[in-house]
Amino acid sequence: AVAFVQLNKKTEAIKALENGLRENRENWKMWENYLFIVIEEDYFAKAREAIQTIIYLGQHSRVKGSYLRATASIAFESPQKDRLIPQAEAMMKFVTSKVPQDPDFWDAYVDFVDALDDHSRLGELIELKEKECRARMIVGWEHDKKICEKLKESIRFLDELLKKDGCDEKQKQEGSLFIASATKKIEICLSN
């Protein structure tokens, strides 16, 4: 497969990896290599399968939020997007249910729902953004300025969502309390 990629024969590389995966479905590294190529070649179903298999194999750290975004982007840009977008959302739900502590997965899911541009899903979008923020607030986060900066960006986005028309009062109150608490912690982190 590597030789085919070097020769820019990606279709042949995909076939070689698929043959290898038929023999060894437990090889996460082969699945990861397969994922890179099928994303590059815009194969939505194959990318989704690779992501889900890597996670099933317990190698979730090998999957990045950018891979989820790229796979979802294939669905959005496809002529069959009406069929693929629900499948992309099912993938997002699967990944975040299996690995709820990864903030980049939640962030990719937020980007996905935001890209749908469906105002009736504002409450869900706010909830997803809060989950992303909570996932960033893991033990030790307050000693890592890079995580604090990313959390600050996420909090700013959440605050903007809460100000939109259609956000219910209970969610605004709960969200505002969360933002106030997180903002204090972020200020302490960034001042150290």
Side-chain angles (χ1 to χ4, degrees), residues 41-60:
E41 294 299 299
D42 292 339
Y43 288 112
F44 172 79
K46 292 176 183 194
R48 186 189 71 225
E49 178 188 18
I51 287 169
Q52 291 176 333
T53 303
I54 292 167
I55 289 174
Y56 272 131
L57 294 173
Q59 297 294 324
H60 61 81

Side-chain angles (χ1 to χ4, degrees), residues 22-67:
R22 272 196 272 297
E23 299 297 319
N24 188 359
R25 298 212 39 95
E26 305 292 314
N27 186 327
W28 64 264
K29 187 60 180 165
M30 203 179 308
W31 277 108
E32 183 180 48
N33 291 335
Y34 181 68
L35 175 61
F36 297 148
I37 297 169
V38 296
I39 284 176
E40 194 172 308
E41 294 299 299
D42 292 339
Y43 288 112
F44 172 79
K46 292 176 183 194
R48 186 189 71 225
E49 178 188 18
I51 287 169
Q52 291 176 333
T53 303
I54 292 167
I55 289 174
Y56 272 131
L57 294 173
Q59 297 294 324
H60 61 81
S61 64
R62 310 306 299 179
V63 176
K64 308 291 180 226
S66 60
Y67 305 162

Side-chain angles (χ1 to χ4, degrees), residues 139-173:
V139 176
W141 72 273
E142 56 275 304
H143 304 294
D144 187 329
K145 290 196 184 301
K146 187 176 176 182
I147 295 174
C148 286
E149 287 294 340
K150 183 65 179 164
L151 183 57
K152 188 176 176 180
E153 288 175 34
S154 295
I155 292 293
R156 197 173 301 128
F157 184 80
L158 178 59
D159 189 44
E160 289 172 19
L161 290 174
L162 291 169
K163 291 176 182 172
K164 287 188 174 187
D165 287 339
C167 180
D168 72 43
E169 284 306 311
K170 183 179 180 195
Q171 204 164 28
K172 279 184 184 179
Q173 289 175 341

Side-chain angles (χ1 to χ4, degrees), residues 69-85:
R69 284 184 189 86
T71 303
S73 179
I74 294 167
F76 276 110
E77 295 169 12
S78 170
Q80 301 171 5
K81 68 181 177 183
D82 291 342
R83 184 177 61 79
L84 296 183
I85 287 174

